[in-house]
Amino acid sequence: TQLLEQSPQFLSIQEGENLTVYCNSSSVFSSLQWYRQEPGEGPVLLVTVVTGGEVKKLKRLTFQFGDARKDSSLHITAAQPGDTGLYLCAGELGNFNKFYFGSGTKLNVKP
Amino acid sequence: DAGITQSPRHKVTETGTPVTLRCHQTENHRYMYWYRQDPGHGLRLIHYSYGVKDTDKGEVSDGYSVSRSKTEDFLLTLESATSSQTSVYFCAIRDRDPEQYFGPGTRLTVT
């Protein structure tokens, strides 16, 4: 059983559509990160959220941390083919320096 | 980009043989991590280090050992490789903040 449940697992959409990826847990996290991974490469950090209710924006990407710090979402507006990739959330429990990853959302944006 | 390299990048080995993977950083970051990535599981923590000679277990540490004799190097050893250890292995580094920076990965196949 994964500590962080990520949904959906797969998403195939047309260019210009909006989408939301969810990352949920019953545990409270001291911080949560979102990463994007291309095939054959390591994950690359997109954002870190640390405060309950926090919202961060990165161009067309909006990240939200739940008030109770148990869940997070990633919303992409007007998706583009360049957004294609595997999106991963990761949370740190307490200050124990250990990170738990969701299973990932594979996004395909068709032109 | 964070200065982090992994070697080898690809390896094929036989069941029962020992294997050592190396992670090298030039950032002088305190924390170093080893993860494995398998389909449907995201990344799972094997071991991590919080300083020279200081290591701790992660979620999936059975069958793996690590060593860190210098700040810049973190070694992952499979004492006797099994087919279930076929995976892609990623090293990550971080400093005081929760953000992790990943290496390019090592694809290991155990036949």
Side-chain angles (χ1 to χ4, degrees), chain B residues 30-98:
Chain B
R30 177 182 178 187
Y31 299 95
M32 298 185 76
Y33 297 80
W34 276 109
Y35 293 91
R36 60 178 289 173
Q37 186 172 32
D38 305 290
H41 288 280
L43 280 86
R44 291 181 291 175
L45 181 64
I46 304 172
H47 283 280
Y48 76 99
S49 170
Y50 49 97
V52 173
K53 297 193 190 314
D54 294 322
T55 65
D56 199 0
K57 294 180 179 180
E59 298 175 79
V60 290
S61 59
D62 287 349
Y64 301 95
S65 62
V66 290
S67 66
R68 192 173 179 196
S69 58
K70 299 185 289 184
T71 299
E72 57 267 34
D73 289 323
F74 192 32
L75 304 180
L76 176 71
T77 297
L78 292 65
E79 300 291 346
S80 178
T82 68
S83 58
S84 64
Q85 294 175 312
T86 291
S87 187
V88 181
Y89 291 85
F90 286 99
C91 176
I93 62 174
R94 64 173 273 253
D95 206 357
R96 286 181 293 273
D97 296 327

Side-chain angles (χ1 to χ4, degrees), chain A residues 42 45 59 61-62 65 77 93:
Chain A
L45 180 72
K59 296 183 181 177
L61 278 61
T62 301
F65 202 12
T77 303
L93 284 179

Side-chain angles (χ1 to χ4, degrees), chain A residues 20-95:
Chain A
T20 302
V21 177
Y22 299 93
C23 187
N24 297 301
S25 178
S26 58
S27 299
V28 176
F29 294 97
S30 56
S31 71
L32 194 137
Q33 293 79 45
W34 284 92
Y35 294 84
R36 180 165 165 262
Q37 186 179 19
E38 302 269 9
E41 299 180 6
V44 175
L45 180 72
L46 295 173
V47 78
T48 295
V49 285
V50 296
T51 305
E54 184 176 2
V55 176
K56 282 192 174 180
K57 292 193 175 184
L58 189 67
K59 296 183 181 177
R60 294 176 292 100
L61 278 61
T62 301
F63 304 86
Q64 187 161 7
F65 202 12
D67 291 341
R69 291 186 288 134
K70 294 182 179 181
D71 54 83
S72 181
S73 64
L74 157 61
H75 182 79
I76 301 179
T77 303
Q80 298 176 1
D83 295 327
T84 293
L86 179 68
Y87 289 82
L88 296 156
C89 62
E92 181 184 15
L93 284 179
N95 291 310

